[in-house]
Amino acid sequence: MPKIITIAREYGSGGRLIAQKVAEKLQLVYYDNEVIDLAAKELGFDIDTIRKAAEEKSSSFMYTMSSSAFTLPLNDQVFTTQSKIIRHLAKHDSCIIVNGCADYVLEDYDDVLTVFIHAPLESRIKRVKDEYKENHDDIKRFVMKKDKGRSNYYNYYTTKKWGQLKNFDLTINSDLGIDEAADIIVKLFQKGNF
């Protein structure tokens, strides 16, 4: 039976880098934007359009009428397709999935270690400036806006609240160190008590 790690993270916490290190140490397949790209391909849309839609909740409950059938808004189609892809990946291979809603999508699956990576705002701002090389007039505002978008998306598409500790098996402050955080996840995964 495949064993899965899902990682959700605050923007600028280094969660993607931690996930990549964990995948490397455990020899697991790693998925992040690939999930979005697969959803884009399946829907027949441009990848950039899908990536933008995957970061936003549906803007309204309005459904368009097309050929006498209701069509979900693009954002909802993306979430539904991503969910199908995440479930498919989890059934077929042990892997690590960096996706804000993967913990929710796989909540009924056995052998899923759910992780949330966070860090103090000042640390995240520094990482976004120094490592991500983001160039914005107000980096603090930019980081907070990214988190608000992630929160709104998660809260809209799940029955849980984004970033809440009880939603995860493990939450880690990445200020402990990227390698140290990765090692903690690796050890817990190898123990298999999740």
Side-chain angles (χ1 to χ4, degrees), residues 40-52:
K41 209 177 224 183
E42 188 170 317
L43 289 171
F45 288 104
D46 166 72
I47 288 174
D48 291 334
T49 303
I50 294 300
R51 284 196 179 162
K52 187 174 181 334

Side-chain angles (χ1 to χ4, degrees), residues 6 22 34 37 44 52 60 67 72 74 79-80 84 94 101 112 115 118 131 133 139 157 166-167 171 175-176 187 189:
T6 68
V22 171
E34 288 89 352
D37 294 347
K52 187 174 181 334
S60 75
S67 306
L72 288 173
L74 177 60
F79 178 78
T80 301
K84 278 186 356 193
S94 291
C101 295
V112 177
V115 179
H118 59 93
E131 294 173 32
K133 306 291 186 211
I139 295 281
Y157 284 108
K166 67 181 182 178
N167 294 342
T171 62
D175 273 6
L176 294 172
K187 283 180 186 150
F189 185 80

Side-chain angles (χ1 to χ4, degrees), residues 103-168:
D103 64 289
Y104 176 77
V105 171
L106 299 176
E107 72 180 347
D108 294 333
Y109 282 59
D110 295 327
D111 297 321
V112 177
L113 173 62
T114 58
V115 179
F116 187 80
I117 308 291
H118 59 93
L121 181 60
E122 292 308 314
S123 299
R124 295 187 294 123
I125 291 168
K126 183 175 175 7
R127 180 173 283 116
V128 167
K129 259 196 291 201
D130 299 346
E131 294 173 32
Y132 298 4
K133 306 291 186 211
E134 288 285 350
N135 190 14
H136 295 274
D137 292 337
D138 187 345
I139 295 281
K140 179 179 180 179
R141 193 164 158 232
F142 174 73
V143 169
M144 292 172 70
K145 184 178 177 188
K146 292 290 267 184
D147 277 346
K148 185 172 173 61
R150 287 179 179 182
S151 176
N152 288 343
Y153 187 84
Y154 188 87
N155 296 345
Y156 181 80
Y157 284 108
T158 76
T159 57
K160 299 177 180 181
K161 189 163 171 36
W162 186 76
Q164 233 178 26
L165 302 181
K166 67 181 182 178
N167 294 342
F168 301 93

Side-chain angles (χ1 to χ4, degrees), residues 44-86:
F45 288 104
D46 166 72
I47 288 174
D48 291 334
T49 303
I50 294 300
R51 284 196 179 162
K52 187 174 181 334
E55 293 175 359
E56 300 171 0
K57 65 181 183 178
S58 184
S59 56
S60 75
F61 289 102
M62 296 300 293
Y63 292 84
T64 57
M65 205 54 159
S66 166
S67 306
S68 302
F70 286 104
T71 305
L72 288 173
L74 177 60
N75 310 59
D76 294 349
Q77 291 178 52
V78 170
F79 178 78
T80 301
T81 304
Q82 280 186 351
S83 298
K84 278 186 356 193
I85 292 166
I86 288 168

